[in-house]
Amino acid sequence: MVSLGYLLGLQMKAFAAFTALTCLAPAASAATVPYDARSAPTLHQRNVELAAQLGPRLSVQASIYLAGSDIFNTLTERWQLFAPPSFIAAIEVYTERDIQYAVQFANQFGLPWLAISGHHGGISTIGNMKYGVQISMNKMDSLTLSPDGQTALIGGGKLSKAITDELWAKGKQTVTGACECTSLLGPMLGGGHGWLQGRYGLSADQLEEARVVLADGSLVTANANKNSDLFWALRGAGHNFGIVTQVKYKVHDVPANDRWTFASLIFTEDKTEKVFDLTNKLTNGGTQPVEFINFIWYMRIPTIDASKPIVNFYMLYQGSQQTAKKYSDQYAALGPVNTTIMETDYTQISALTGNGNEGIACQHGLYSALRFPTSLQSYDLPTQRKLMDKFADVTLKQPAFNNSFYLFEGYSLKGVKAVDPASTAFPDRFNNILSSPVIIYFGSEYDGQAVQAGQEIRDIALGAVKNKQLNAYVNYAHGDEQVEDWYGHESWRISKLKSLKQKFDPKNRLRFYAPIPAGGY
């Protein structure tokens, strides 16, 4: 049997040997020094020798870090620990040329590669990446507002909170994901739900143009007129088609005197049906006003109920606390045990909902968090009771899961439904609710139990779907779903995506995030 050490030695030799090739023209002064991983007795020396070979061919600011260094460990740390990818090197890129070089190098020697921005890809298929090269996008974080103020050029590594704050300072805003520490582009490539989608559509609907490094290392531009088929695919299935280095992205004026109201009302579990029944009435099959957003959580808060989960209702309303009362008062009438209502502005709502940079959702490397999403059109009250009972049972029988929760996201939808469903690869503009248990635990010994619990909960949720077809939001997907569950059950969608995969990635190099099969792979 070939040892792991021997395999890694060969891979590192391949990494260094590639620097003698000219995939992109090196600086005229670059010297080629033979490198043998076995001759480097320490990790530090290997870093130095590898940097000496590859460094002159990258931009001045770019860096290479090998496994074992502190910076490598920081760059490759994941949001959650289940099914992580593994890397032998991380390249911190600054330019499109750096990305092209990294991709061409990895391809030459058969090393898998994966571009990383916010480190929040939680799908289990990423775990199929073994001993590859991480292309770290965090330094590609530019944002430039256009002269007319209608769009911005945004770098592929820019994170959501930074975008929100920089635009806010200029009187602008745009659709990003709800979590402050994810990138803009990671969620966007899978569609991208967010607080402002009721007005403007999904993140994917804001995309006007993308610069993309394809799987062979070539650089292209995709928009409605150039590489329009790639442009279609990027908006909903984009993780399969290239590394997006920069986007031209729609931005919008912040309304005058813009205020938001945040409300948190906590109910005991016996109010489950009443909370969801009222929510059904107020959202009316996805036709609620654009100002009204609701999140509902099953979770355990022992200080409120020591034996059973509670129902935590979050309301976000774009308007004053006084105008929001027409909604908050109706929930208050159901008899919550705890109520918090406050007025704020748009820049604070992610933090208030637990999705801020300082919240648990943005802590890396501490726990596993498994999701099993099911999209819904409305709440079936008997099913909501079954889900509450199942969640209670799972978290009672296995105390290691007591930090878990079940989340139901009810964004406003007017802007999403205004877009022609056939115009993008995002398949699900007909459902109105994102739902998923999030099984949180510490320790890989609970992996099997967590997967089983998540699958059983998902089966219950799917029972409320009339046609029994699973629509799993790809950015929340666990990884055991079918391709159709991620990208749509319409046959033309899957056929088109497979054809485009064959065109843009015939060797299936982008195969780690909710992969679309290509050719014979």
Side-chain angles (χ1 to χ4, degrees):
M1 179 180 293
V2 176
S3 71
L4 176 59
Y6 180 75
L7 174 62
L8 292 181
L10 291 178
Q11 289 179 311
M12 292 311 303
K13 288 173 69 178
F15 196 129
F18 177 76
T19 61
L21 301 177
T22 308
C23 290
L24 296 172
S29 60
T32 299
V33 180
Y35 174 75
D36 186 338
R38 293 169 298 182
S39 69
T42 70
L43 180 61
H44 174 71
Q45 285 180 276
R46 284 190 292 166
N47 265 318
V48 170
E49 294 183 32
L50 182 58
Q53 296 291 322
L54 184 57
R57 302 173 190 275
L58 298 175
S59 64
V60 173
Q61 304 96 327
S63 299
I64 306 163
Y65 302 97
L66 300 187
S69 69
D70 290 342
I71 298 178
F72 171 90
N73 292 338
T74 298
L75 287 174
T76 57
E77 189 174 60
R78 306 293 302 169
W79 160 60
Q80 65 94 25
L81 302 178
F82 182 79
S86 66
F87 302 101
I88 60 171
I91 303 176
E92 193 171 47
V93 296
Y94 274 75
T95 69
E96 291 174 333
R97 184 181 177 92
D98 291 339
I99 297 173
Q100 289 182 271
Y101 190 87
V103 167
Q104 292 183 9
F105 147 69
N107 291 346
Q108 180 73 21
F109 286 90
L111 291 172
W113 47 268
L114 189 66
I116 301 294
S117 49
H119 302 252
H120 268 245
I123 192 169
S124 63
T125 57
I126 289 180
N128 295 325
M129 156 66 75
K130 303 295 185 185
Y131 312 117
V133 176
Q134 174 173 300
I135 300 172
S136 298
M137 302 283 289
N138 54 293
K139 299 300 184 182
M140 299 191 68
D141 60 351
S142 61
L143 187 155
T144 305
L145 194 63
S146 65
D148 65 5
Q150 301 302 303
T151 60
L153 295 178
I154 302 176
K158 194 78 168 179
L159 301 187
S160 292
K161 178 58 172 173
I163 293 169
T164 295
D165 287 349
E166 288 184 36
L167 289 177
W168 188 261
K170 302 176 187 295
K172 298 289 183 178
Q173 60 186 9
T174 194
V175 181
T176 67
C179 190
E180 291 182 344
C181 53
T182 60
S183 68
L184 172 70
L185 298 191
M188 185 206 75
L189 293 172
H193 289 280
W195 307 126
L196 296 176
Q197 69 174 50
R199 294 194 179 277
Y200 309 120
L202 300 168
S203 289
D205 301 328
Q206 313 312 304
L207 182 63
E208 291 203 344
E209 184 172 282
R211 291 174 64 82
V212 187
V213 173
L214 298 177
D216 63 359
S218 60
L219 177 66
V220 301
T221 297
N223 56 39
N225 299 310
K226 187 175 184 180
N227 292 309
S228 59
D229 50 357
L230 176 61
F231 185 60
W232 179 87
L234 289 175
R235 294 172 292 160
H239 303 96
N240 284 270
F241 292 97
I243 302 174
V244 178
T245 65
Q246 185 186 72
V247 294
K248 182 179 180 182
Y249 200 78
K250 296 176 186 175
V251 299
H252 311 277
D253 292 331
V254 175
N257 303 313
D258 189 45
R259 300 299 291 168
W260 286 72
T261 297
F262 167 76
S264 171
L265 296 92
I266 298 176
F267 300 88
T268 51
E269 62 84 30
D270 59 296
K271 301 292 179 67
T272 296
E273 287 85 353
K274 290 183 178 180
V275 171
F276 285 102
D277 185 43
L278 177 57
T279 304
N280 274 341
K281 292 173 181 176
L282 294 179
T283 56
N284 192 27
T287 63
Q288 69 266 34
V290 296
E291 296 88 357
F292 179 66
I293 302 167
N294 67 89
F295 275 28
I296 306 175
W297 313 65
Y298 296 161
M299 61 175 62
R300 285 190 176 272
I301 304 181
T303 55
I304 293 177
D305 191 325
S307 61
K308 298 178 181 179
I310 55 85
V311 180
N312 194 359
F313 174 82
Y314 281 179
M315 182 192 75
L316 292 166
Y317 183 84
Q318 191 176 15
S320 68
Q321 187 171 331
Q322 182 61 37
T323 57
K325 283 174 65 65
K326 58 188 173 185
Y327 295 103
S328 60
D329 282 356
Q330 294 186 63
Y331 286 97
L334 300 180
V337 295
N338 184 282
T339 300
T340 302
I341 302 179
M342 67 178 66
E343 210 170 292
T344 186
D345 64 42
Y346 176 69
T347 66
Q348 301 303 310
I349 59 178
S350 287
L352 287 170
T353 57
N355 293 298
N357 281 327
E358 304 306 316
I360 187 66
C362 289
Q363 303 308 303
H364 287 184
L366 300 177
Y367 54 84
S368 293
L370 278 58
R371 296 170 290 187
F372 298 83
T374 307
S375 294
L376 307 170
Q377 292 196 349
S378 63
Y379 294 116
D380 177 73
L381 301 187
T383 300
Q384 293 306 117
R385 167 50 58 186
K386 291 177 184 177
L387 291 171
M388 168 58 85
D389 292 345
K390 180 64 175 179
F391 179 80
D393 183 63
V394 165
T395 52
L396 177 65
K397 290 181 176 177
Q398 180 46 270
F401 298 157
N402 275 349
N403 292 298
S404 303
F405 56 88
Y406 201 133
L407 177 58
F408 304 89
E409 301 182 14
Y411 296 100
S412 51
L413 295 158
K414 183 177 180 180
V416 178
K417 293 179 181 288
V419 175
D420 178 5
S423 66
T424 73
F426 183 75
D428 186 2
R429 295 179 188 269
F430 53 88
N431 279 308
N432 305 316
I433 301 157
L434 298 179
S435 78
S436 179
V438 183
I439 310 298
I440 295 176
Y441 56 96
F442 300 83
S444 60
E445 64 269 26
Y446 302 111
D447 285 350
Q449 293 178 61
V451 171
Q452 180 179 348
Q455 291 172 338
E456 289 175 355
I457 292 172
R458 183 178 60 195
D459 287 344
I460 295 171
L462 189 60
V465 177
K466 291 182 179 179
N467 63 7
K468 301 300 183 273
Q469 288 183 342
L470 176 62
N471 289 279
Y473 180 43
V474 70
N475 291 336
Y476 290 0
H478 176 65
D480 62 340
E481 303 90 349
Q482 300 298 308
V483 172
E484 292 81 4
D485 301 334
W486 299 327
Y487 301 118
H489 293 272
E490 300 156 289
S491 60
W492 69 267
R493 284 188 179 276
I494 302 303
S495 178
K496 183 173 183 177
L497 285 170
K498 288 182 177 180
S499 176
L500 293 176
K501 183 70 170 176
Q502 185 65 32
K503 176 180 178 179
F504 290 105
D505 183 19
K507 295 186 177 180
N508 201 28
R509 286 170 170 143
L510 288 137
R511 61 184 182 275
F512 301 109
Y513 194 102
I516 297 165
Y521 291 86

